[in-house]
Amino acid sequence: MYNTTMEKNEFEKSFIEARRAAISTDFGHLNDMQLEAVLTLRGPLLLLAGAGSGKTTVLINRIANLLNYGIGSDSSFVPAKATQDDLDFLREYARSPSGGDRGRMRGLCSLTPAEPWRIMAITFTNKAAGEMKERLSKLLGAEAESIWAMTFHAACARMLRRDIDKLGYERSFTIYDTSDAASLMKRILKDMDIDEKSLPHKTVLSYISRAKGAMETPESYLESTLHKGDIRRQAIGKAYMEYTRRMRDSGALDFDDLLLLTVRLLAEHPDVADYYRNRFDYILIDEYQDTNNLQYVFASTLAGGHGNICVVGDDDQSIYKFRGATIENILSFEEQFTGARVIRLEQNYRSTGHILDAAGDVIGNNIGRKGKKLWTEKQRGIKPALHIVPNERSEASFVAQEVQRSAAEGRKWQEHAILYRMNAQSNQLETAFKRSGIPYRVYGGTGFYERAEIKDMLAYLCVIQNPHDDLRLLRIINNPPRGIGQTTVGRLFEEAARLGLSIFEFIREAQNNDALKASAGKLHQFADMIDFLRAHAADMALSELYELLLEQTRYKKMLEEKKSDDNTSRVENIMELKTNIIAFENGEGGSLFDFLSETALYTDQDRDDDTSDRVLMMTMHSAKGLEFDTVFVVGAEEGVFPGIRVTESRDDMEEERRLCYVAMTRAMRRLVFTSARQRTLFGRTAASAPSRFVQEVSAENIDLVNEYPDYSGSYGFDSDFSFVIEDRYGRDFDPYDDTPRDASEAWRKYQPRKTASSRKKAYNELFKELTAAGADYKAGDRIIHSAYGRGMITKLTPAGGDALLEVVFDDVGTKQLLLNSAARFMGKSDE
């Protein structure tokens, strides 16, 4: 067929190009970089997807490409039977697909199309997973049902259901959500005589979560604390031991266990790891910047054979360090996965040009990022604005007035979002909205599955599934009231623990226990009811079992007999749970275990499903993934956002800046910051300086609006948009500190200035003098810090108008400090 090798090479090159072009016609709605991401299928791939860049669209279409064409768009293989006529056909089809033979095109372009059950698409929330499934179903039909499109925790729960017995656990395990884990830990600390005020249960659970993330067993954690002599950590270690014991005795796992035990399963049982490596040819992971260590190990293990892992994320939106997320997973992806390719999705479809440029001004100050520049084909639009107000009450009134004005122009209430750093900031806003008659809701409030009556019904179902679940059993044993009081419950718990039995097992022994003989009859009735429901669970539909549960427990009847609006709502809620059960049966279906696993895995990010027309108030963390026409970022002040505690750590400050970037990029048309001159928060009133993040926005991308120019005191900008701030007493403030400088000897040299230029000059001279002590710091210097004690500077890196110090402290280890902030709290040490 070919006269020379060169002719053959030219033909194959042309055929590969024509095949890729023909496949591309299926994705003509994508931009160039989105298309490149959809067509790149083999090996490790990092998609750096900026805010509003259509990453979900890319994932959906990438899966469609895999199912329809396999690796056709990303392979150098050319079939031996390919002819010049085939090449001419593909070229013509690429030019005019509407008139071409689609069947022939697919036949020529398909190379080992993927089977749907060999694709795993992981995301972080059930809501996101549900949206992915829905879009896949619309695009692919029934094929989409077999794709593992789910959260990390759901995937792990499914794997453990199959093989957890290899680790010595029962397959009938139940899953504790965050509130269940909190209830158990409170009980453990109470039994250990530990005061909640001295060691909060949330703190203990946080340490345990970090230990599990580091794959540290309770035994090794406790042993390490004993060596260090830290009494507080020892208490946490003992609580970790007891928490693990009680969880295992109850046949329960928490969210961290799902990941940890799956990673253990894959590591300790190569046959299981090989099964899943062979099962899944393609791994896709969304929101990769939010992954933790265990999730990285899980993903890399499954991709270890074929290496076809595609991760989608934005390093500029990594804001969940407090949940264990590590930005290093995305920053070092190319080092972790050899031969990885990187594609940047930088075209934004959400925000106007001014908003994107302002957000870019802010995030550009971070050092730890891979770098990208968002752009849009939209108009420049309205400049973001900073509104200066006297206090939090004026701030709330201003926001309410602006929302009312916007609504009067025809926009829906729900097109407006109020974002704040701390939940406490919603107080004055809610008051102002109530007074103004503005409908609102606080996003992420009590979710459906967190309501008391729903948790009661789920507790019954959990005990039917696993009667050894002591936590859930204690919740329902006298609910509705059965005459089983707290004294009886306490004795049950103590005696069962003494004998090493679950409470349900011990109930059968109650008549033999002198202290429980009086309650034995009632306890047996409860156990008989659970046994009756368990006997029917195997041969009844879930919805029928639920009806039988309501009848046997008389829970619904109890609510109906106590007439009140609240109880009417509770009855409606427990019947709505039946709606959810029916929807589950009509969807993927499955056993009682499967339904309970699905509901247990709903997180705080899945809570809010209210679509009514109301203004949304939420924390900036809750806003991730959402978008609104108009966004108000309130409390843009030093000490509030960023908070005081992050100012000395570069890593913490960079995460706080990423949080600001997330907040800014939620806005589609209008972005407004508010900054109060003084704010009362947690009962304390303090003067405030506008946030450094707003200062980082260039003057051409933001407008300054002083709402109350006659208010005593003044704000102004210098030529590079830095703030010069003076309070009502004529004292200047350092934007990096919310304490007046009038107490320092340096300040006494500078009297209040009347003009903006003189104020600016005085401020600059003062700032230089205050930071001069840090000007000659260098690597090798010994220092003493008021908070961290003595240490040595090991590295000093200039960073704009500041410098980053790396200090190894004698007692607390290595810290990274920003010089201008840290200089106030440290000095050189001779020791």
Side-chain angles (χ1 to χ4, degrees):
M1 178 179 177
Y2 310 106
N3 294 324
T4 65
T5 301
M6 183 177 294
E7 285 183 4
K8 179 182 179 182
N9 291 341
E10 285 297 322
F11 174 83
E12 290 181 345
K13 180 181 178 182
S14 299
F15 189 90
I16 293 167
E17 291 174 352
R19 181 171 63 197
R20 187 178 176 94
I23 293 174
S24 298
T25 61
D26 274 16
F27 310 105
H29 57 292
L30 303 179
N31 65 43
D32 290 345
M33 298 313 294
Q34 288 176 331
L35 179 61
E36 182 70 17
V38 166
L39 300 181
T40 303
L41 303 171
R42 303 175 71 187
L45 173 66
L46 168 60
L47 298 181
L48 276 179
S53 62
K55 63 183 177 66
T56 305
T57 296
V58 170
L59 284 176
I60 298 298
N61 284 277
R62 199 169 189 275
I63 292 172
N65 189 20
L66 285 168
L67 294 176
N68 292 330
Y69 302 104
I71 58 173
S73 63
D74 195 25
S75 174
S76 59
F77 174 78
V78 176
K81 62 182 181 179
T83 65
Q84 183 65 43
D85 183 57
D86 293 333
L87 174 58
D88 294 340
F89 168 79
L90 289 176
R91 284 172 169 170
E92 181 58 31
Y93 188 93
R95 283 191 290 268
S96 181
S98 59
D101 182 345
R102 182 167 176 77
R104 182 182 177 188
M105 185 275 288
R106 290 191 65 170
L108 290 171
C109 292
S110 296
L111 283 179
T112 59
E115 295 164 313
W117 55 87
R118 294 192 179 278
I119 297 174
M120 174 185 280
I122 298 293
T123 187
F124 267 78
T125 67
N126 289 282
K127 181 179 179 182
E131 289 173 357
M132 184 180 289
K133 288 179 182 177
E134 184 178 346
R135 291 179 64 174
L136 284 170
S137 295
K138 288 180 180 178
L139 187 63
L140 303 170
E143 275 190 302
E145 296 295 324
S146 300
I147 297 170
W148 274 39
M150 59 187 68
T151 64
F152 273 106
H153 292 104
C156 290
R158 185 176 292 191
M159 291 179 176
L160 291 174
R161 175 69 190 279
R162 179 179 180 271
D163 290 307
I164 196 173
D165 55 310
K166 289 180 168 64
L167 297 176
Y169 289 78
E170 293 293 330
R171 291 185 180 182
S172 60
F173 64 85
T174 50
I175 301 172
Y176 282 6
D177 63 18
T178 50
S179 61
D180 294 325
S183 297
L184 177 58
M185 184 52 68
K186 286 178 183 177
R187 184 180 295 275
I188 289 170
L189 294 178
K190 183 178 179 182
D191 292 344
M192 293 174 64
D193 291 326
I194 294 176
D195 184 14
E196 173 76 15
K197 292 180 180 178
S198 62
L199 187 58
H201 71 278
K202 288 184 178 179
T203 300
V204 179
L205 288 171
S206 177
Y207 274 97
I208 292 174
S209 180
R210 287 199 289 271
K212 289 181 178 180
M215 303 183 70
E216 193 169 8
T217 65
E219 293 80 9
S220 62
Y221 184 89
L222 180 57
E223 185 179 353
S224 69
T225 63
L226 293 173
H227 284 310
K228 293 176 182 177
D230 187 329
I231 297 176
R232 191 167 184 265
R233 293 286 181 92
Q234 288 173 17
I236 293 172
K238 291 174 183 176
Y240 185 11
M241 289 280 290
E242 183 64 12
Y243 178 78
T244 303
R245 185 191 69 77
R246 294 193 191 185
M247 290 282 284
R248 185 145 191 171
D249 289 348
S250 296
L253 307 179
D254 63 19
F255 287 172
D256 291 319
D257 289 330
L258 293 174
L259 288 164
L260 176 61
L261 294 182
T262 303
V263 168
R264 269 189 57 198
L265 180 65
L266 296 173
E268 297 174 12
H269 296 274
D271 58 319
V272 177
D274 288 341
Y275 170 80
Y276 285 110
R277 285 194 193 105
N278 294 329
R279 166 73 184 268
F280 298 111
D281 291 332
Y282 299 95
I283 309 292
L284 300 92
I285 302 177
D286 195 10
E287 304 289 1
Y288 193 66
Q289 77 281 348
D290 293 333
T291 53
N292 60 26
N293 177 59
L294 287 174
Q295 288 159 339
Y296 160 71
V297 175
F298 171 83
S300 60
T301 300
L302 293 185
H306 48 70
N308 294 324
I309 180 170
C310 170
V311 303
V312 186
D314 183 0
D315 52 317
D316 291 334
Q317 295 189 72
S318 178
I319 59 173
Y320 293 123
K321 183 179 178 181
F322 67 95
R323 290 180 179 168
T326 171
I327 193 174
E328 286 304 314
N329 284 349
I330 193 168
L331 293 180
S332 60
F333 182 82
E334 293 120 298
E335 288 76 45
Q336 294 165 342
F337 295 92
T338 305
R341 289 180 278 186
V342 179
I343 296 174
R344 285 172 167 79
L345 304 180
E346 297 175 308
Q347 183 174 356
N348 178 281
Y349 293 92
R350 176 186 299 155
S351 306
T352 60
H354 270 311
I355 291 173
L356 291 182
D357 287 348
D361 288 339
V362 174
I363 201 64
N365 287 275
N366 272 5
I367 297 172
R369 61 190 295 259
K370 299 185 81 72
K372 60 185 170 301
K373 173 69 174 176
L374 294 188
W375 61 277
T376 181
E377 292 181 346
K378 290 186 175 184
Q379 296 179 347
R380 300 289 292 160
I382 308 168
K383 279 187 182 183
L386 169 66
H387 288 254
I388 306 292
V389 295
N391 51 48
E392 71 277 2
R393 294 180 299 280
S394 301
E395 176 184 66
S397 297
F398 161 72
V399 172
Q401 291 167 12
E402 287 296 297
V403 169
Q404 284 181 315
R405 184 175 64 80
S406 181
E409 294 173 355
R411 296 179 188 87
K412 294 181 178 180
W413 298 114
Q414 65 190 16
E415 293 181 60
H416 306 82
I418 321 299
L419 308 185
Y420 36 76
R421 184 64 180 86
M422 297 173 284
N423 282 305
Q425 292 173 254
S426 71
N427 183 19
Q428 291 295 329
L429 290 160
E430 291 189 62
T431 300
F433 276 37
K434 286 174 182 175
R435 287 174 179 167
S436 302
I438 298 173
Y440 73 91
R441 60 191 174 100
V442 178
Y443 184 89
T446 303
F448 179 76
Y449 287 106
E450 293 177 333
R451 292 170 180 147
E453 61 274 15
I454 299 302
K455 290 193 78 68
D456 289 343
M457 302 317 298
L458 290 175
Y460 271 108
L461 291 172
C462 284
V463 172
I464 292 170
Q465 165 67 25
N466 172 19
H468 306 303
D469 188 340
D470 287 351
L471 183 71
R472 268 63 175 269
L473 187 142
L474 291 174
R475 182 183 182 97
I476 60 173
I477 195 169
N478 196 43
N479 186 16
R482 299 184 176 91
I484 303 174
Q486 286 299 313
T487 301
T488 299
V489 170
R491 287 171 180 162
L492 269 176
F493 185 82
E494 291 171 3
E495 291 300 304
R498 183 178 63 81
L499 296 174
L501 300 173
S502 71
I503 291 175
F504 190 80
E505 289 173 317
F506 178 70
I507 283 175
R508 296 303 187 192
E509 308 292 327
Q511 72 273 13
N512 299 322
N513 187 291
D514 292 339
L516 291 169
K517 277 184 179 179
S519 304
K522 296 170 186 175
L523 292 172
H524 276 282
Q525 287 178 4
F526 171 76
D528 289 342
M529 178 189 67
I530 296 299
D531 283 336
F532 175 78
L533 292 169
R534 281 174 55 78
H536 285 78
D539 53 16
M540 293 182 77
L542 286 179
S543 53
E544 294 174 347
L545 175 65
Y546 186 69
E547 282 289 351
L548 184 64
L549 169 64
L550 293 176
E551 174 191 314
Q552 289 292 311
T553 62
R554 296 177 58 83
Y555 190 99
K556 179 182 175 186
K557 190 172 183 64
M558 172 192 71
L559 294 176
E560 290 172 336
E561 289 174 349
K562 297 179 180 179
K563 301 284 186 183
S564 72
D565 290 341
D566 283 346
N567 278 353
T568 299
S569 176
R570 292 187 181 106
V571 171
E572 291 171 352
N573 286 337
I574 62 174
M575 296 315 296
E576 183 62 20
L577 181 58
K578 183 181 178 182
T579 301
N580 291 3
I581 292 173
I582 293 171
F584 172 79
E585 291 175 324
N586 294 336
E588 291 188 5
S591 64
L592 174 59
F593 173 88
D594 296 323
F595 174 73
L596 292 173
S597 295
E598 182 176 287
T599 56
L601 294 175
Y602 274 83
T603 67
D604 57 341
Q605 294 169 296
D606 295 305
R607 288 182 187 176
D608 202 290
D609 57 0
D610 188 344
T611 57
S612 56
D613 187 18
R614 292 185 276 174
V615 177
L616 289 173
M617 296 183 186
M618 68 187 80
T619 64
M620 297 174 199
H621 282 98
S622 298
K624 189 168 178 290
L626 304 177
E627 60 183 26
F628 306 92
D629 174 87
T630 302
V631 169
F632 295 88
V633 179
V634 299
E637 301 139 23
E638 291 292 305
V640 176
F641 184 52
I644 294 173
R645 282 185 285 186
V646 307
T647 56
E648 289 187 30
S649 164
R650 192 201 84 180
D651 288 346
D652 290 347
M653 180 58 73
E654 293 207 346
E655 174 143 340
E656 197 85 344
R657 187 175 283 109
R658 291 194 292 270
L659 185 59
C660 183
Y661 177 80
V662 167
M664 295 173 75
T665 53
R666 301 311 93 196
M668 301 168 68
R669 183 187 63 90
R670 188 179 177 214
L671 173 64
V672 179
F673 291 93
T674 61
S675 178
R677 291 177 170 171
Q678 69 175 36
R679 182 178 298 274
T680 301
L681 198 60
F682 307 121
R684 297 178 58 190
T685 301
S688 307
S691 169
R692 70 188 67 191
F693 300 145
V694 186
Q695 298 182 53
E696 291 168 352
V697 181
S698 59
E700 60 267 23
N701 288 323
I702 193 168
D703 285 329
L704 170 67
V705 184
N706 193 339
E707 294 298 315
Y708 299 87
D710 58 337
Y711 179 74
S712 56
S714 61
Y715 287 74
F717 292 115
D718 66 11
S719 58
D720 64 353
F721 210 60
S722 296
F723 287 96
V724 180
I725 306 153
E726 181 181 277
D727 76 356
R728 68 184 68 189
Y729 303 111
R731 298 176 302 188
D732 281 3
F733 284 79
D734 175 353
Y736 293 85
D737 185 13
D738 61 0
T739 57
R741 291 298 190 187
D742 60 338
S744 71
E745 286 299 322
W747 173 247
R748 301 187 196 283
K749 301 178 183 178
Y750 303 101
Q751 299 302 315
R753 306 301 200 269
K754 294 183 178 180
T755 66
S757 60
S758 63
R759 279 197 302 270
K760 174 187 172 183
K761 182 178 179 181
Y763 169 82
N764 287 339
E765 290 176 358
L766 173 60
F767 189 78
K768 286 178 182 178
E769 180 158 345
L770 290 169
T771 59
D776 60 350
Y777 282 114
K778 62 183 182 299
D781 283 351
R782 290 285 297 177
I783 64 158
I784 184 167
H785 190 281
S786 60
Y788 303 131
R790 299 183 187 279
M792 176 183 288
I793 298 174
T794 57
K795 189 176 182 181
L796 188 149
T797 307
D802 207 335
L804 177 67
L805 299 178
E806 188 172 281
V807 185
V808 178
F809 288 100
D810 298 343
D811 297 324
V812 297
T814 302
K815 296 285 183 182
Q816 291 182 321
L817 311 175
L818 291 170
L819 177 58
N820 286 344
S821 298
R824 302 190 308 271
F825 306 105
M826 71 184 197
K828 289 188 177 181
S829 171
D830 295 330
E831 298 182 19

